[in-house]
Amino acid sequence: MEHHTDGQPPLVVLSGVNKHFGALHVLKDVNLTVERGEVVVVIGPSGSGKSTLCRTINRLETIDTGEIRVDGRPLPLEGKELAKLRAEVGMVFQSFNLFAHKTVLENVTLGPIKVRGVKRAEADARGRDLLERVGIGEQADKYPAQLSGGQQQRVAIARALAMDPKVMLFDEPTSALDPEMINEVLEVMTALAKDGMTMVVVTHEMGFARRAANRVVFMDNGSIVEEAEPEEFFARPRSERAKDFLSKILTH
Amino acid sequence: MEAVVDNLDLLLEGFLRTLTLTALAATGALCLGTLVAAMRVSPLLPLRWAGTCYVESVRNTPLTVVFALAVFGLPKAGLGLTFFQFALLALTLYTGTFVAEAVRSGVNSVAPGQSEAARTLGMSFPQTLGLVILPQAFRNVIPPLASVFIALLKNSSIASAFGVAEATSRMGSLIEDNPSAVLWLLAAVALGYVVLALAASLLFSRLERSLAVAR
């Protein structure tokens, strides 16, 4: 997988980012660059700040100091500019967060129609295509509560894709799923990665990291402890903390 | 009993007035209350502050005093309205505070992930509220809203003291004319209010059921 960087700035750049929740220092001087077409998997123990890191990229969490740039531009403050940026950054949540009062198709078309001003017929056609692509075309007219967790998460991915995002953020997308549904979501994500989508994925799925990631970022206690290509990271972790973490999750 | 039967037309006319007053005030209060609830959850501090001031001042004033302020105060400020219009204004302003609080509790009952998902798609605050949060919030607050509107129906009887010829006012004048039939007249009017309130309950529980299907 080569990256289409020809002369353009990296898609996401975090420089010297710090954040506190009260007295808790959740992000400590974090620096991270994500190139175009790159798939970065963020792993680490719970409470290490990896979800917070993911959520700062579209400003669902504000930061105290440092700078975040998306596609070369610093993150705007609240308002129209921020809304515009968010429309270009797709996000998939641990708890799906599908709109409970809308059908599956409406979930996928609401953003394009209301935010982008796309005509309904056009948005519907594109929405059905996307639902086919994630393998749930026949569920288009159901409500989210009628779907399994794995199906809901695939709808959430289609909803994000409908906005034609430049980058997709995945905040523990399979952590709320029953084991038998994890693979159907990971397959969709792997296909996206193969298609060249730029992705930041917070996950505990080491198989996905090995298969689809260009780079693994290991976080602990609010800091990025090490970064490496997946093969290198899993075979020869450099830090004691990464070795310790891997020994705990890979022995089962 | 004859006093009731003989004056049935007057009583029914009174109830029609009660119903009109209640329906108009309910519509006004629903709009006003939703707007104020939106102000109270908005990211803009002056809007939140204005919404809170309105709710806390009007909600905590006795309705009779709100009526008196409208009927005696507004003409001094140069606003001349009919008694019915003053009553409508007082009831709308007063009930709007209770609607606002019910809707606000509904907004708070919607999972935070819903608004995060909406904002993540690039929706503005008004879009997030109008397209995603409020439709779900209303479903959750239909039972308390029904109570607010039934209270409004009964509260509209205060308009009788301020020159509006609604049901309670008609009852008052009929009792003066037929003092021996006081209990019959009271019972008839009480029954009228109960029937209207039950009809409202029925309407709201239907609404609740029809909206619940979509979950």
Side-chain angles (χ1 to χ4, degrees):
Chain A
M1 280 172 278
E2 88 277 24
H3 307 139
H4 316 284
T5 48
D6 33 67
Q8 291 174 320
L11 214 37
V12 180
V13 181
L14 285 80
S15 358
V17 168
N18 280 282
K19 178 174 180 69
H20 295 78
F21 282 131
L24 195 66
H25 198 171
V26 282
L27 292 179
K28 295 176 185 160
D29 205 25
V30 168
N31 296 291
L32 178 69
T33 300
V34 181
E35 300 289 347
R36 276 159 216 276
E38 195 179 19
V39 177
V40 173
V41 164
V42 183
I43 65 171
S46 62
S48 60
K50 54 194 195 303
S51 274
T52 308
L53 171 76
C54 186
R55 290 164 58 87
T56 60
I57 297 174
N58 62 358
R59 212 169 184 272
L60 281 183
E61 300 288 353
T62 55
I63 58 175
D64 300 335
T65 58
E67 190 190 48
I68 299 177
R69 283 175 177 269
V70 173
D71 203 9
R73 290 183 309 149
L75 271 192
L77 301 177
E78 295 297 326
K80 280 206 178 73
E81 283 303 306
L82 179 63
K84 215 158 138 194
L85 175 126
R86 282 180 176 151
E88 295 175 344
V89 177
M91 183 152 196
V92 175
F93 301 88
Q94 179 176 352
S95 48
F96 328 135
N97 295 346
L98 293 180
F99 304 133
H101 62 306
K102 299 276 185 194
T103 65
V104 163
L105 183 63
E106 286 166 346
N107 264 276
V108 178
T109 58
L110 193 66
I113 291 172
K114 298 295 178 182
V115 176
R116 289 271 158 77
V118 175
K119 294 258 187 318
R120 180 173 298 275
E122 197 182 316
D124 278 0
R126 175 88 204 289
R128 287 187 190 276
D129 278 354
L130 284 168
L131 289 172
E132 286 296 338
R133 182 167 158 196
V134 298
I136 34 179
E138 68 283 6
Q139 316 282 0
D141 300 316
K142 290 190 179 167
Y143 284 90
Q146 296 170 285
L147 269 54
S148 73
Q151 290 173 325
Q152 290 192 51
Q153 194 61 301
R154 286 185 281 153
V155 175
I157 294 173
R159 174 174 70 178
L161 288 176
M163 299 299 287
D164 294 316
K166 291 175 178 167
V167 51
M168 290 272 283
L169 310 174
F170 292 84
D171 185 6
E172 302 206 23
T174 57
S175 300
L177 294 175
D178 291 336
E180 75 270 23
M181 293 171 186
I182 289 176
N183 274 336
E184 62 188 57
V185 172
L186 291 180
E187 274 162 26
V188 169
M189 291 169 59
T190 306
L192 262 183
K194 287 223 170 77
D195 286 350
M197 175 61 76
T198 308
M199 295 163 64
V200 176
V201 185
V202 175
T203 187
H204 295 293
E205 294 300 325
M206 299 306 142
F208 174 78
R210 279 177 198 277
R211 204 160 59 238
N214 300 111
R215 190 151 44 109
V216 172
V217 169
F218 175 71
M219 282 187 79
D220 188 28
N221 202 17
S223 305
I224 292 182
V225 179
E226 70 179 272
E227 293 181 55
E229 287 187 7
E231 287 311 319
E232 175 69 18
F233 176 77
F234 289 113
R236 285 173 293 280
R238 293 189 300 268
S239 63
E240 281 307 312
R241 282 186 283 181
K243 279 178 198 160
D244 184 49
F245 177 73
L246 287 176
S247 74
K248 278 179 186 146
I249 56 163
L250 295 179
T251 46
H252 300 288
Chain B
M1 187 69 185
E2 289 115 74
V4 174
V5 176
D6 291 348
N7 297 299
L8 205 55
D9 54 335
L10 282 176
L11 283 172
L12 286 178
E13 219 177 72
F15 271 112
L16 188 64
R17 206 109 240 254
T18 292
L19 196 61
T20 314
L21 187 58
T22 303
L24 290 175
T27 311
L30 190 62
C31 298
L32 178 66
T34 305
L35 183 72
V36 171
M39 287 165 68
R40 290 198 72 180
V41 298
S42 90
L44 297 175
L45 187 65
L47 287 184
R48 287 207 299 272
W49 189 79
T52 308
C53 279
Y54 158 67
V55 168
E56 295 306 347
S57 59
V58 178
R59 181 174 67 162
N60 298 326
T61 306
L63 179 56
T64 323
V65 178
V66 177
F67 260 94
L69 278 170
V71 175
F72 303 121
L74 290 178
K76 287 222 163 79
L79 189 66
L81 296 174
T82 64
F83 284 133
F84 183 84
Q85 288 166 331
F86 278 130
L88 180 56
L89 191 65
L91 284 169
T92 302
L93 284 175
Y94 183 76
T95 309
T97 62
F98 293 94
V99 172
E101 289 302 272
V103 172
R104 195 166 67 92
S105 77
V107 167
N108 292 338
S109 76
V110 176
Q114 296 282 308
S115 103
E116 282 188 356
R119 283 186 289 150
T120 297
L121 288 175
M123 287 188 200
S124 62
F125 173 75
Q127 284 179 323
T128 301
L129 198 64
L131 297 169
V132 175
I133 306 301
L134 282 179
Q136 300 187 62
F138 274 117
R139 275 173 208 199
N140 297 344
V141 296
I142 289 172
L145 277 183
S147 297
V148 167
F149 291 136
I150 287 169
L152 165 65
L153 170 73
K154 296 181 292 176
N155 286 340
S156 72
S157 66
I158 290 184
S160 66
F162 294 88
V164 179
E166 45 66 82
T168 304
S169 146
R170 283 291 157 82
M171 177 187 77
S173 26
L174 286 174
I175 288 174
E176 269 176 40
D177 297 344
N178 311 277
S180 60
V182 57
L183 285 180
W184 283 111
L185 285 163
L186 280 171
V189 170
L191 182 70
Y193 278 105
V194 168
V195 167
L196 286 180
L198 283 176
S201 304
L202 194 69
L203 196 73
F204 274 94
S205 58
R206 284 245 166 124
L207 192 65
E208 195 183 348
R209 246 175 297 150
S210 73
L211 287 176
V213 176
R215 276 193 206 211

